[in-house]
Amino acid sequence: MSSETNKNRTIRFKIKRQDAPDSPSYWDEFDAPCPPGANVISCLLWIAANPTTTTGRQATPVAWDCNCLEEVCGACTMVINGRARQSCSALIDELQKEDPVVTLEPMSKFPVVRDLVVDRSRIFNALTKVKAWVPVDGMHAMGPGPTETPQQQETRYALSRCMSCGCCLEACPQYLIDNEFIGAHAISQARYFNAHATGASLAGNRLDALEGPGGITDCGNAQNCVKVCPKEIPLTESIADIGRQTTVHAIEKFFTGK
Ligand code: SF4
Ligand code: SF4
Ligand code: FES
């Protein structure tokens, strides 16, 4: 495509819509001008301001979620051309190599609030279950924090990049909209905080949470999660590591009775 054609191009968007949590879904199509370098969100902004479908019907503006616009918050995650990814970093130029029509759907593993907006509370509730934080008691100065070797920093930095976007959960065959599986992101965050010198004080609680129903044993090890994580988090390594930790923890509990 010449750059002049590219500059004036119009792209068709096929968008799965839903007016309310309990309403049936339907599809609308819109044509939007997409200059070079446009991302999905910039096209959605144009569509929201010009919500006339390709059949000439005046539709309601499409709803979606976003925040950081730099692939850090995960809020804008949706299914784009069949794959869950962030709409702020999904470039039309790249999507055009897959399909001339850009298809947008809400993630299927979370309840739809409206159109492309889903309720991701379950992701954050899972992080609460595994106490995905370092306990700090009070606001007083506590001196320098614990030191970490460069190797530990490297391992934990990779895990720290999780943005709770839900791509790994959307791709996971064990994670269903109506079951209890906690998900790869929470398992990986438990590993992240267990590996922190202060965070390790809650390691037993995290492992207790992961031993129960919906925990690590519900992972079928299909490894779909690691393939789709936009932050390339080593999820299968985390699942294996937490699998070992929960086994050791269970044996310790058996012998100590605690
Ligand atoms: S592990 Fe990756 S895919 Fe899963 S929520 Fe975190 S960043 Fe998203
Ligand atoms: S390894 Fe498979 S079953 Fe386990 S969390 Fe990842 S995608 Fe889901
Ligand atoms: S808006 Fe934050 S990741 Fe896209």
Side-chain angles (χ1 to χ4, degrees), residues 85-171:
R85 49 188 144 180
Q86 285 64 58
S87 47
C88 66
S89 55
L91 299 177
I92 300 298
D93 298 337
E94 294 303 314
L95 296 174
Q96 285 293 283
K97 294 176 191 161
E98 300 169 3
D99 198 316
V101 176
V102 177
T103 304
L104 307 180
E105 298 168 74
M107 283 195 284
S108 65
K109 303 287 176 82
F110 305 95
V112 173
V113 177
R114 185 182 171 92
D115 294 336
L116 303 168
V117 181
V118 295
D119 179 354
R120 292 188 303 142
S121 308
R122 182 174 165 190
I123 297 181
F124 304 105
N125 292 341
L127 295 178
T128 307
K129 269 189 205 157
V130 298
K131 299 189 189 302
W133 56 77
V134 171
V136 179
D137 189 10
M139 301 293 285
H140 53 286
M142 289 185 287
T147 51
E148 288 188 320
T149 65
Q151 177 55 42
Q152 287 168 325
Q153 287 171 9
E154 207 175 301
T155 306
R156 289 202 337 107
Y157 176 70
L159 305 176
S160 76
R161 298 177 73 229
C162 177
M163 57 178 165
S164 306
C165 65
C167 289
C168 56
L169 310 172
E170 180 70 14

Side-chain angles (χ1 to χ4, degrees), residues 168 171-175 181 183-184 187 218-226 236 239:
C168 56
C172 173
Q174 300 297 111
Y175 193 91
F181 182 38
I187 295 170
D218 285 11
C219 167
N221 215 14
Q223 308 195 0
N224 289 7
C225 50
V226 74
T236 38
I239 290 163

Side-chain angles (χ1 to χ4, degrees), residues 21-43:
D22 296 325
S23 310
S25 60
Y26 57 96
W27 291 88
D28 267 344
E29 293 191 8
F30 302 91
D31 286 335
C34 294
N39 59 8
V40 167
I41 290 219
S42 61
C43 298

Side-chain angles (χ1 to χ4, degrees), residues 1 11 30 44 46 51 68-69 74 76 91 108 117 178-179 193 195 213 222 244 253:
M1 195 181 285
I11 302 292
F30 302 91
L44 280 172
W46 188 92
C68 69
L69 298 182
C76 68
L91 299 177
S108 65
V117 181
D178 54 1
N179 74 353
F193 285 101
R244 281 190 293 273
K253 280 199 297 189

